[in-house]
Amino acid sequence: MIFMFRHVLNYKSCFFLKTGGNRNCSNVRLVTSVSVLSDRDVRRDCCFDYLDFVLQWANSQAPRLPKAGETIHGHRFFIGFGGKGANQCVQAARLGAKTAMVCKVGRDVFGNDYIQNFKNNGISTAYVEQTENAATGAASIIINDTGENAIVIVAGANMLLGQEELQRALTTIVNAKVLVCQLEIKPDTSLQALRMARENHVKTIFNPAPAIVDLCSDFFKASDVFCCNESEAELLTGMSVTSVEDASQVGLELLNKGCGSVIVTLGPQGCVVCQPTNTAPKHIPTTAVTAADTTGAGDSFIGALAFYMAHYPTMPLEEMARRANLVAAVSVQTVGTQTSFPFQKDLPTELF
């Protein structure tokens, strides 16, 4: 099974992957959650735990992004579900994992809708909590005609995920195979979850998004895979990332901070993988495609990466990253976030 803990802000936060038995090692609404995925194709259950951010979002499409103080006409508007953790959970589930979420949403229409969205994606809602103390997380997204986007999020109920929720999910965490976390919930909550996972030999993926300059050094040490994009890497290191060579240098800098391994994603240029067993960073290119909407591409990548770590634990990290690149490349060819994420049936059989 795969368990994911997340804050639902359109799904951002953390998640765990588990195995039964031995371990192989415009406006959007937000929700905090954990999800569990179960892969029946493996002889044992593989589980993901997501400690994450959940949200419902409103998406406006316009020819260009507006300047400060400017009002422009758009040509399309629609509402969807998001949050980094939740997005990643949905992508992992669509690749074949059975999932469950641990999260918080408001006791409002948006929270109700998000719970139903989980169910529609085959995700267990047994650990989804609703609160009267905050609204469901939300995000506003504007996308221009070239696929670039600008996003504002309001965390809402996501920020109420804490120690009590982690303790209630303790059994799930310690039996997980992989845990994925982000920074859309309280950093202390994400760090505690990562520590709990590491103490129980659960593999961890940490996505430092949104990045913060003064990130606690313990996050690096608690990350088996530290996965960030160019802007996040630049903020964390103070080093500009405009090329594959820059990403390689930044990746090594992050690796030296104590990460088990580092992946720096580069959009259409693929990603760079840095590991202590290989002193030379490895550039993993991706397939060239025409992007319709890049929103959620990084979440698609991480959800796929988590799936491969749970389903194929002996696969080299570079190969996992190559396959995750290809999954994310499919997602950017369709408008929307979770709605753009491919199912296993939509992908080439050689990816599985």
Side-chain angles (χ1 to χ4, degrees):
M1 301 186 100
I2 298 174
F3 291 81
M4 304 180 190
F5 287 95
R6 310 176 155 180
H7 247 334
V8 182
L9 168 93
N10 257 343
Y11 295 116
K12 295 188 178 181
S13 217
C14 334
F15 70 82
F16 288 92
L17 309 179
K18 290 187 180 177
T19 344
N22 298 329
R23 292 191 184 90
N24 293 321
C25 292
S26 342
N27 290 331
V28 180
R29 297 291 168 177
L30 311 175
V31 181
T32 301
S33 67
V34 177
S35 51
V36 181
L37 304 89
S38 175
D39 214 337
R40 298 300 179 181
D41 294 332
V42 195
R43 298 200 176 180
R44 291 181 286 245
D45 285 345
C46 285
C47 303
F48 294 95
D49 271 329
Y50 285 90
L51 180 55
D52 217 359
F53 192 75
V54 178
L55 63 76
Q56 190 167 10
W57 50 263
N59 188 316
S60 299
Q61 288 185 279
R64 59 180 176 81
L65 302 181
K67 299 176 183 178
E70 181 184 22
T71 299
I72 64 174
H73 282 286
H75 48 73
R76 189 182 181 196
F77 175 83
F78 55 95
I79 295 175
F81 300 95
K84 280 193 168 298
N87 289 344
Q88 294 162 7
C89 180
V90 168
Q91 180 63 91
R94 291 185 178 185
L95 294 180
K98 182 177 180 181
T99 65
M101 294 292 294
V102 176
C103 69
K104 274 189 181 291
V105 298
R107 192 171 294 282
D108 49 38
V109 64
F110 301 105
N112 295 340
D113 287 349
Y114 219 123
I115 290 172
Q116 187 59 50
N117 179 65
F118 286 139
K119 293 178 179 178
N120 292 345
N121 279 281
I123 297 168
S124 171
T125 58
Y127 300 104
V128 178
E129 297 183 13
Q130 290 185 281
T131 177
E132 302 276 5
N133 299 322
T136 301
S140 298
I141 303 171
I142 302 173
I143 302 172
N144 67 17
D145 286 346
T146 63
E148 296 176 317
N149 63 72
I151 304 173
V152 176
I153 63 175
V154 180
N158 288 287
M159 302 313 291
L160 300 182
L161 184 65
Q163 170 71 25
E164 291 184 8
E165 289 75 19
L166 290 183
Q167 288 303 315
R168 283 196 286 270
L170 181 62
T171 300
T172 294
I173 296 173
V174 301
N175 289 312
K177 187 171 184 181
V178 178
L179 166 70
V180 182
C181 293
Q182 299 80 26
L183 289 174
E184 288 186 323
I185 56 174
K186 292 182 289 187
D188 287 350
T189 302
S190 288
L191 182 56
Q192 182 181 2
L194 289 167
R195 286 170 170 162
M196 291 166 70
R198 290 294 295 270
E199 288 170 0
N200 289 279
H201 310 288
V202 176
K203 291 294 184 181
T204 59
I205 300 174
F206 178 55
N207 175 212
I212 52 178
V213 176
D214 56 346
L215 182 67
C216 175
S217 61
D218 287 351
F219 274 105
F220 301 105
K221 300 169 187 175
S223 304
D224 286 306
V225 178
F226 190 95
C227 185
C228 58
N229 64 21
E230 311 101 302
S231 61
E232 293 153 2
E234 184 171 339
L235 188 63
L236 290 166
T237 64
M239 301 165 64
S240 177
V241 182
T242 60
S243 66
V244 171
E245 292 71 24
D246 291 343
S248 298
Q249 186 176 358
V250 165
L252 290 174
E253 177 71 16
L254 292 170
L255 193 65
N256 289 335
K257 292 179 181 289
C259 305
S261 59
V262 174
I263 298 177
V264 180
T265 58
L266 299 168
Q269 296 184 80
C271 64
V272 168
V273 177
C274 298
Q275 299 182 89
T277 55
N278 188 348
T279 56
K282 178 71 173 178
H283 176 221
I284 313 295
T286 190
T287 302
V289 299
T290 299
D293 182 0
T294 60
T295 308
D299 297 335
S300 176
F301 177 93
I302 292 175
L305 178 68
F307 168 80
Y308 289 121
M309 286 180 64
H311 199 99
Y312 305 102
T314 62
M315 180 183 290
L317 184 60
E318 293 92 340
E319 177 60 17
M320 294 183 191
R322 185 189 72 82
R323 298 187 187 196
N325 271 345
L326 297 177
V327 173
V330 172
S331 76
V332 303
Q333 297 177 65
T334 303
V335 173
T337 305
Q338 292 178 24
T339 54
S340 73
F341 292 170
F343 290 83
Q344 183 178 132
K345 66 180 177 60
D346 302 320
L347 297 166
T349 56
E350 56 265 29
L351 292 181
F352 301 95

